[in-house]
């Protein structure tokens, strides 16, 4: 690659970098206090439906092998 | 001033602007916000099933949607679809290339996909007329290994590659619809947002990027990790992203605040994170590490609340079923384990 092509590639890359940074700089941001509150709220609302968090009673656990019963 | 110099200056200015804008909204930290919240009690999960059948290292697994079926990929050259309740193998699919690094289950349950050092993403139809599972499409265009793939539907799939790009494919025509370029290092992992409008990618340039699928643009870039990002996932409401890295930490980034909220780290953990999955509510983060363990973190309080120790080699992949009932781990020891 000639050095002219090299430098025009570099310039093209630099232009793309600046264009991308402009996009990322322009977004609207919410406060961390609101972001945190929303995450906490979501966890709180859905905790009772989270089997790994709440534990699964043996009778409702489709993965738990039922132990064989013997009739005495 | 030459154009190159001017562009470099503008780039630096914009980076400073972004840093400043993130500071402006940092009115508190997640740690402060959850100070009054109790830590989750110790989480103790038991191995309920062991899926035996692969003859070499397992590199990837993916649960089907609304099902107890999952697919796993091993460098023994097989994709196996498992009924995790019975441990039966529903399908054992021989691969053309045994150097597989990723697999995915289509949400419909009709297809699975895989790829690796062959640089291709192969799509298999599970519901063919004669009952045989055949290659439906071979998606070839990446110039580097396929690290991850995820179906949007039966007609579209997104792939990430060692060639530093991600691609949205039209499965029907086998062509690239969109190329997502921007990462400066191998893309290692991707995850699709719950509403299917966005996806995130983690790469060896230590950053995670959020992409708008239809606009074909990168919306945000998240830095902070000190090494390759190997694993990435969405918090269940789609508003935050979790990453796992070779720097031995996981991080939580909030999309709307555009910044890192917390790092999950422990001085006792010195090996890389290979895989991660949140529990259904997002309160628990399950992460697989190179030291053969899975650590369970309280995602809000950023403390370890459990360990899954059961594999005899690196945990390479992990997933939580869509109803949250079980966690599946896959390992270089050739076994998959189901825990709850």
């Amino acid at each position: 690659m000639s050095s002219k092509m090299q430098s025009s590639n570099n310039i093209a890359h630099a232009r793309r970098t600046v264009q991308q940074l402009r996009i990322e700089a322009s977004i609207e941001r919410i406060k961390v206090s609101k972001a945190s509150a929303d995450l906490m709220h979501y966890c709180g609302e859905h905790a009772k439906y989270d089997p790994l968090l709440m534990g699964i009673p043996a009778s409702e656990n489709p993965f738990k092998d039922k132990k064989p019963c013997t009739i005495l | 001033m030459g154009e190159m110099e001017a562009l470099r200056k503008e780039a630096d200015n914009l980076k400073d602007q972004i840093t400043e804008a993130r500071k402006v909204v940092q009115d508190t930290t997640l740690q402060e916000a959850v100070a009054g919240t109790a830590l989750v009690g110790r989480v103790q999960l038991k191995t309920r099933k062991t899926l035996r059948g692969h003859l070499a290292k397992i590199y990837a697994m993916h649960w089907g949607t609304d099902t107890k079926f999952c697919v796993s990929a091993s460098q023994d050259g097989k994709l196996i679809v498992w009924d995790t309740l019975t441990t039966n193998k529903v399908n054992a699919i021989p691969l053309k290339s045994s150097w597989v690094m990723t697999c995915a289950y289509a949400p419909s349950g009709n297809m699975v996909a895989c790829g690796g050092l062959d640089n291709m993403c192969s799509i298999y139809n599970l519901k063919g007329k004669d009952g045989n599972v055949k290659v439906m499409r071979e998606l070839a265009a990446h110039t580097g290994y396929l690290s991850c793939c995820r179906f949007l539907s039966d007609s579209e799939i997104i792939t990430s590659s060692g060639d530093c790009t991600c691609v949205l494919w039209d499965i029907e025509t086998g062509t690239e619809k969109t190329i997502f370029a921007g990462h400066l290092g191998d893309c290692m992992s991707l995850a699709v947002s719950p509403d299917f409008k966005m996806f995130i990618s983690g790469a060896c340039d230590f950053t995670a990027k959020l992409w708008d699928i239809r606009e074909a643009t990168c919306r945000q870039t998240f830095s902070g990790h000190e090494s390759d990002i190997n694993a990435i996932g969405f918090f269940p409401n789609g508003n935050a992203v979790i990453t796992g890295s070779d720097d031995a930490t996981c991080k939580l980034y909030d999309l709307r605040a555009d910044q890192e909220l917390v790092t999950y780290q422990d001085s006792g953990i010195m090996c890389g994170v290979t895989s991660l999955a949140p529990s259904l509510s997002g309160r628990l983060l399950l992460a697989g590490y190179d030291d053969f363990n899975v650590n369970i973190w309280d995602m809000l309080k950023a403390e370890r609340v459990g360990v899954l120790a059961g594999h005899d080699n690196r945990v390479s992949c992990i997933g939580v079923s869509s109803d949250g009932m079980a966690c599946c781990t896959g390992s270089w020891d050739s076994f998959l384990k189901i825990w709850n």
Side-chain angles (χ1 to χ4, degrees):
Chain A
M1 192 184 285
S2 73
S3 71
K4 273 219 179 102
M5 274 181 75
Q6 184 89 354
S7 58
S8 65
N9 272 351
N10 288 344
I11 297 233
H13 183 260
R15 280 192 198 133
R16 278 196 301 271
T17 302
V18 165
Q19 191 174 8
Q20 179 58 37
L21 285 169
R22 281 190 193 139
I23 294 174
E24 294 183 20
S26 68
I27 64 163
E28 297 279 315
R29 294 171 180 81
I30 66 167
K31 289 201 159 57
V32 170
S33 54
K34 166 115 175 76
S36 303
D38 287 354
L39 286 173
M40 289 160 68
H41 183 76
Y42 188 91
C43 286
E45 286 290 294
H46 292 83
K48 53 183 175 289
Y49 306 116
D50 187 339
L52 295 180
L53 182 64
M54 304 303 295
I56 308 168
S59 54
E60 289 164 39
N61 189 350
F63 291 98
K64 194 162 162 57
D65 282 328
K66 306 279 180 276
K67 290 212 163 59
C69 300
T70 47
I71 315 272
L72 295 169
Chain B
M1 171 187 307
E3 187 178 2
M4 200 58 203
E5 184 59 24
L7 287 169
R8 207 174 291 135
K9 267 202 119 190
E10 190 175 358
D12 286 343
N13 281 342
L14 287 164
K15 284 179 193 164
D16 288 343
Q17 265 181 57
I18 293 171
T19 304
E20 223 8 77
R22 284 170 171 164
K23 276 210 193 98
V24 164
V25 295
Q26 201 179 31
D27 56 342
T28 184
T29 64
L30 178 64
Q31 291 312 90
E32 282 163 33
V34 301
T37 307
L39 185 65
V40 158
R42 186 124 198 101
V43 175
Q44 281 169 318
L45 305 181
K46 294 203 174 82
T47 301
R48 301 297 177 190
K49 307 283 178 190
T50 298
L51 307 179
R52 295 166 218 275
H54 279 301
L55 303 172
K57 294 174 175 169
I58 291 170
Y59 273 80
M61 68 78 48
H62 193 214
W63 284 98
T65 308
D66 297 331
T67 177
K68 294 295 188 293
F69 283 18
C70 72
V71 63
S72 61
S74 162
Q75 292 204 346
D76 63 3
K78 292 243 167 34
L79 271 194
I80 298 180
V81 177
W82 307 84
D83 176 336
T84 60
L85 287 174
T86 60
T87 73
N88 286 343
K89 299 172 191 45
V90 179
N91 302 104
I93 306 164
L95 305 175
K96 269 193 205 171
S97 162
S98 65
W99 304 111
V100 67
M101 295 173 69
T102 182
C103 62
Y105 217 129
S108 64
N110 293 333
M111 304 170 183
V112 289
C114 68
L117 294 183
D118 58 355
N119 297 2
M120 290 195 313
C121 182
S122 300
I123 314 284
Y124 293 83
N125 184 358
L126 295 177
K127 308 284 167 80
K129 268 178 290 212
D130 54 1
N132 276 343
V133 175
K134 289 196 301 248
V135 180
M136 213 186 99
R137 284 290 175 275
E138 282 174 341
L139 308 175
H142 277 301
T143 54
Y145 60 85
L146 206 84
S147 53
C148 194
C149 56
R150 285 292 178 258
F151 286 90
L152 293 183
S153 65
D154 280 2
S155 55
E156 288 180 315
I157 191 167
I158 300 184
T159 56
S160 62
S161 169
D163 68 11
C164 310
T165 70
C166 297
V167 171
L168 169 68
W169 302 83
D170 179 329
I171 295 175
E172 207 49 42
T173 60
T175 56
E176 297 163 285
K177 269 183 158 170
T178 313
I179 299 175
F180 300 90
H183 274 299
L184 301 173
D186 300 14
C187 294
M188 297 303 292
S189 187
L190 76 98
V192 179
S193 65
D195 66 6
F196 291 91
K197 291 182 180 170
M198 313 272 198
F199 76 93
I200 41 175
S201 56
C204 292
D205 61 7
F206 313 172
T207 72
K209 283 180 180 286
L210 174 73
W211 307 88
D212 184 317
I213 297 175
R214 303 303 159 194
E215 299 281 304
T217 53
C218 169
R219 290 271 202 91
Q220 290 165 260
T221 301
F222 300 98
S223 313
H225 275 297
E226 294 168 358
S227 189
D228 302 351
I229 293 177
N230 299 317
I232 199 161
F234 272 94
F235 184 85
N237 70 358
N239 285 341
V241 162
I242 315 145
T243 52
S245 166
D246 271 346
D247 69 9
T249 75
C250 294
K251 286 177 186 289
L252 178 72
Y253 296 95
D254 190 277
L255 297 182
R256 295 175 306 157
D258 184 41
Q259 57 191 274
E260 176 186 327
L261 292 189
V262 72
T263 298
Y264 305 96
Q265 65 191 342
D266 184 306
S267 54
I269 303 173
M270 288 171 294
C271 61
V273 177
T274 60
S275 49
L276 60 85
S279 70
L280 193 69
S281 66
R283 186 62 195 263
L284 299 177
L285 170 64
L286 295 98
Y289 291 74
D290 283 342
D291 67 358
F292 314 173
N293 289 331
V294 170
N295 288 313
I296 305 178
W297 299 86
D298 176 328
M299 228 193 282
L300 295 179
K301 303 288 283 182
E303 285 188 44
R304 246 199 305 187
V305 292
V307 176
L308 301 181
H311 283 290
D312 295 324
N313 206 324
R314 178 184 290 193
V315 172
S316 54
C317 49
I318 192 168
V320 171
S321 60
S322 54
D323 62 1
M325 281 288 261
C327 163
C328 178
T329 52
S331 167
W332 280 10
D333 69 8
S334 81
F335 302 118
L336 295 133
K337 285 180 184 288
I338 309 289
W339 311 74
N340 68 14

